[in-house]
Amino acid sequence: MLLDVARSRRLLFVGGKGGTGKTSVSSGLALARALDGGRVLLVSTDPAHNLGDIWQHRLSDAPSRVFTAEAGYVDAIEVDPQATIEAHFASVESMMVRMLPERTHTAVRDHLKTAKTAPGSHESAVLERIATITEDSVGAYDLVIFDTAPTGHTVHLLSLPERLTGWAETLVSNRDRSERFAAAARSLVSPKEETPGPDAQMRRTLLARRDRFALLRRTIADSQQTGFLITTLAERLPVAETLELVRQLRDLHVDLAGVVVNRRSPANAGDLLAARRDLEDRQLAELTRGVAPVPVSEVPLLAGELTGPEAVRQLADLLV
């Protein structure tokens, strides 16, 4: 069933409460889709990266091949928000230094240095990287899986494209108005002058950023392309957080493709685990009612530690 979800989407976001196995499920699903012949890009946006640990592979902000099947493969990325922030601000600084008088350069650099650590810089950088990956993956991959940070961070991230698109629209509108005034002033001094103002490059940058966020917003809202998988445990607190996440995703018009209940206790392995299974069954019944008609999948508790491609393949076999 989960493989069907992976076949039918171009983007999948995997999220949920911390410690519920988001990275494990993301990895297992990526490998299952690769065995099915898919070209898969697996992206960790969680600041506490452990994707490389699971695959026993050193990862970076650039795609790295972690698994090859007969027809498909898995590439993986661990997004580096700080590198994204540094690259973005370096570009802004270069542009502003070219545009503004030299006497202002020190003040510009001081301002940008402060802005790097401002609230929201991290989220904006991660979102811009997600948008870039989404753009670049078209044609190169059949499926991109984003292994996201814990619930609150992810919901905030998914709500940002709407806000940042509007913000970029306002900046472009202000820039257009400024350019019209500047052009009118230039024409009074030199009516034949047609050279564009010095901030034309800034306008192009703003337009590119606006279009990138707008594309991401449309893609996230398109249930034919994008889905969200929630990982959880059959326990009271994870179930409560899952039901709240379902409500928030529906408010954001993000398609909920499924729920994965991870690490289910066996029912026939002694009294202790049987009693635990009974408790889980009650929580699972509440979860199933709360997310209906969204399908709920169960993954059993595994004996070994999930590290290395062979362990990921064992999990992948349980997700098809």
Side-chain angles (χ1 to χ4, degrees), residues 41 58-65 75-80 129:
L41 178 62
R58 188 177 183 85
L59 299 177
S60 69
D61 203 68
S64 179
R65 187 69 44 88
D75 289 347
I77 291 175
E78 287 184 341
V79 168
D80 184 345
R129 189 72 181 99

Side-chain angles (χ1 to χ4, degrees), residues 43-98:
V43 184
S44 171
T45 67
D46 189 340
H49 295 302
N50 60 1
L51 188 61
D53 295 332
I54 284 181
W55 288 94
Q56 295 180 333
H57 195 102
R58 188 177 183 85
L59 299 177
S60 69
D61 203 68
S64 179
R65 187 69 44 88
V66 295
F67 180 79
T68 303
E70 185 175 341
Y73 54 80
V74 179
D75 289 347
I77 291 175
E78 287 184 341
V79 168
D80 184 345
Q82 193 57 42
T84 304
I85 289 172
E86 294 293 339
H88 172 68
F89 277 94
S91 173
V92 171
E93 179 180 328
S94 174
M95 181 170 56
M96 295 185 76
V97 163
R98 288 197 304 271

Side-chain angles (χ1 to χ4, degrees), residues 37-189:
R39 301 165 299 167
V40 183
L41 178 62
L42 179 57
V43 184
S44 171
T45 67
D46 189 340
H49 295 302
N50 60 1
L51 188 61
D53 295 332
I54 284 181
W55 288 94
Q56 295 180 333
H57 195 102
R58 188 177 183 85
L59 299 177
S60 69
D61 203 68
S64 179
R65 187 69 44 88
V66 295
F67 180 79
T68 303
E70 185 175 341
Y73 54 80
V74 179
D75 289 347
I77 291 175
E78 287 184 341
V79 168
D80 184 345
Q82 193 57 42
T84 304
I85 289 172
E86 294 293 339
H88 172 68
F89 277 94
S91 173
V92 171
E93 179 180 328
S94 174
M95 181 170 56
M96 295 185 76
V97 163
R98 288 197 304 271
M99 287 174 52
L100 298 173
E102 186 175 352
R103 67 179 182 275
T104 67
H105 291 180
T106 299
V108 165
R109 291 189 174 101
D110 288 344
H111 172 74
L112 292 177
K113 185 177 180 181
T114 301
K116 284 183 187 179
T117 58
S121 291
H122 177 279
E123 289 88 347
S124 180
V126 171
L127 188 73
E128 186 134 21
R129 189 72 181 99
I130 288 174
T132 303
I133 290 169
T134 300
E135 280 186 308
D136 294 345
S137 67
V138 176
Y141 295 98
D142 302 304
L143 174 66
V144 181
I145 300 177
F146 289 102
D147 167 32
T148 69
T151 303
H153 184 275
T154 299
V155 170
H156 179 61
L157 205 64
L158 291 175
S159 69
L160 278 177
E162 184 78 30
R163 290 183 238 171
L164 290 179
T165 301
W167 170 78
E169 288 277 9
T170 301
L171 288 180
V172 170
S173 176
N174 290 342
R175 179 59 53 190
D176 287 346
R177 188 160 51 247
S178 173
E179 284 188 358
R180 285 196 299 272
F181 284 133
R186 287 194 302 269
S187 68
L188 292 174
V189 176

Side-chain angles (χ1 to χ4, degrees), residues 4 11 31 69 81 93 118 150 158 163 171 177 196 222 224 264-265 270 280 292 294-295 311:
D4 290 337
L11 297 181
L31 192 147
E93 179 180 328
L158 291 175
R163 290 183 238 171
L171 288 180
R177 188 160 51 247
D222 183 354
Q224 299 300 310
R264 282 281 273 147
S265 299
E280 291 177 3
V294 174

Side-chain angles (χ1 to χ4, degrees), residues 203-222:
R203 184 180 187 278
R204 287 195 297 271
T205 300
L206 290 173
L207 282 170
R209 201 162 194 237
R210 180 201 65 183
D211 293 344
R212 189 177 300 124
F213 286 138
L215 174 62
L216 182 61
R217 181 183 64 181
R218 291 194 303 271
T219 304
I220 288 174
D222 183 354

Side-chain angles (χ1 to χ4, degrees), residues 2 16-26 50 54 230-235 238 259-267 273 276-281 283-284 287 296-306 315 318-319:
L2 288 174
K17 184 175 173 60
T20 58
K22 295 185 295 296
T23 304
S24 300
V25 170
S26 299
N50 60 1
I54 284 181
I230 300 177
T231 64
T232 189
L233 304 177
E235 299 173 4
V259 177
V260 181
V261 180
N262 200 16
R263 300 200 288 268
R264 282 281 273 147
S265 299
L273 288 177
R276 168 106 188 148
R277 176 82 177 201
D278 287 342
L279 290 173
E280 291 177 3
D281 286 345
Q283 292 300 320
L284 182 59
L287 174 67
V296 176
S297 304
E298 299 179 43
V299 176
L301 179 67
L302 301 177
E305 187 177 15
L306 197 119
L315 179 58
L318 298 171
L319 296 176

